[in-house]
């Protein structure tokens, strides 16, 4: 039996300066225009949603990381190292998908040296089991919808606002988990 205190789901997503075109409203006869510079600069986001396995009253934890370009094994190890400082005395049980950087030799070697971390892989083609996918959806439908920024900093600012919105609503991370159909706490045995 695993004794890790935190169950953490991690996922990555990409954003660019090309706007996420979403439905909008406008007065009749005034079609909204979305003007942008057709810039392909990209950034990658890594998000981790953690749920305490024995004390749900501690509330979920949301960790977020944004960087230009894309994540590779080295970049993900840096993210995990940054999160390592917040583990305190308890360990983390990480659940993530089959991205090659998650299961590379370098990552497996690094994880083998970590006593605070245990990894588990989600089934292939099952993004609906990762609550972080719902976090990305929430960000892209609200803060990043129709955003035509000139710089990656504009996208980063909007994303940070969305992360604050989600952090300010403690029920939202729980709803992401509930939507997956997964539970963190084992059911109470019946007598």
């Amino acid at each position: 039996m695993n004794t890790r205190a935190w169950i953490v789901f991690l996922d990555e997503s990409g954003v660019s300066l090309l706007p996420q075109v979403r439905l909008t409203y406008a007065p009749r006869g005034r079609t909204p225009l979305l003007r942008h510079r057709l810039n392909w600069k990209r950034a990658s986001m890594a998000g981790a949603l953690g749920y305490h396995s024995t004390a749900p009253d501690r509330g979920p934890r949301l960790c977020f990381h944004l960087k230009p370009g894309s994540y590779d094994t080295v970049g993900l190890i840096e993210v995990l190292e940054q999160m390592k400082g917040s583990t305190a005395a308890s360990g983390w049980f990480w659940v993530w998908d089959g991205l090659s950087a998650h299961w590379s030799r370098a990552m497996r070697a690094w994880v083998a040296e970590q006593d605070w971390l245990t990894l588990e892989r989600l089934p292939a083609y099952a993004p609906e089991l990762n609550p972080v996918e719902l976090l990305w959806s929430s960000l892209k439908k609200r803060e990043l919808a129709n955003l035509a920024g000139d710089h990656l900093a504009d996208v980063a600012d909007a994303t940070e606002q969305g992360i604050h919105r989600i952090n300010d609503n403690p029920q939202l991370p729980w709803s992401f988990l509930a939507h997956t159909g997964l539970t963190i706490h084992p059911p109470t045995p019946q007598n």
Side-chain angles (χ1 to χ4, degrees):
M1 180 172 171
N2 195 315
T3 60
R4 301 298 185 186
W6 288 93
I7 298 173
V8 182
F9 295 86
L10 185 124
D11 193 42
E12 302 83 17
S13 185
V15 291
S16 74
L17 290 180
L18 293 177
Q20 300 271 335
V21 179
R22 296 290 185 249
L23 184 66
T24 188
Y25 297 96
R28 179 178 286 182
R30 296 186 188 173
T31 303
L33 298 176
L34 190 57
R35 299 182 193 279
H36 60 89
R37 297 179 186 240
L38 198 63
N39 192 327
W40 291 93
K41 286 186 180 176
R42 294 190 53 82
S44 293
M45 306 179 290
L49 271 173
Y51 304 92
H52 201 277
S53 62
T54 58
D57 55 322
R58 292 184 69 174
R61 280 191 188 171
L62 172 58
C63 299
F64 178 77
H65 189 265
L66 180 75
K67 71 174 240 146
S70 59
Y71 285 101
D72 58 4
T73 300
V74 173
L76 286 172
I77 289 173
E78 289 173 6
V79 170
L80 293 173
E81 283 284 356
Q82 288 178 5
M83 293 179 186
K84 181 180 178 179
S86 64
T87 61
S90 62
W92 291 25
F93 185 83
W94 285 82
V95 182
W96 55 14
D97 57 22
L99 181 71
S100 59
H102 293 171
W103 302 101
S104 67
R105 283 187 182 143
M107 179 64 78
R108 287 187 308 220
W110 181 82
V111 168
E113 298 172 358
Q114 311 304 312
D115 62 349
W116 61 278
L117 177 64
T118 302
L119 296 180
E120 184 64 40
R121 184 177 184 160
L122 284 168
Y125 307 108
E128 68 276 5
L129 294 178
N130 193 339
V132 182
E133 294 285 355
L134 297 160
L135 176 131
W136 299 144
S137 178
S138 179
L139 285 175
K140 290 179 180 183
K141 287 179 181 174
R142 297 228 6 214
E143 286 77 14
L144 298 177
N146 302 318
L147 176 67
D150 291 328
H151 307 284
L152 282 176
D154 299 332
V155 174
D157 291 343
T159 304
E160 189 174 326
Q161 289 173 4
I163 294 297
H164 287 299
R165 172 181 59 85
I166 291 167
N167 265 334
D168 290 343
N169 182 348
Q171 293 304 315
L172 207 47
W174 285 114
S175 71
F176 295 157
L177 180 66
H179 189 74
T180 67
L182 301 174
T183 58
I184 297 299
H185 312 290
T188 306
Q190 295 180 355
N191 292 332

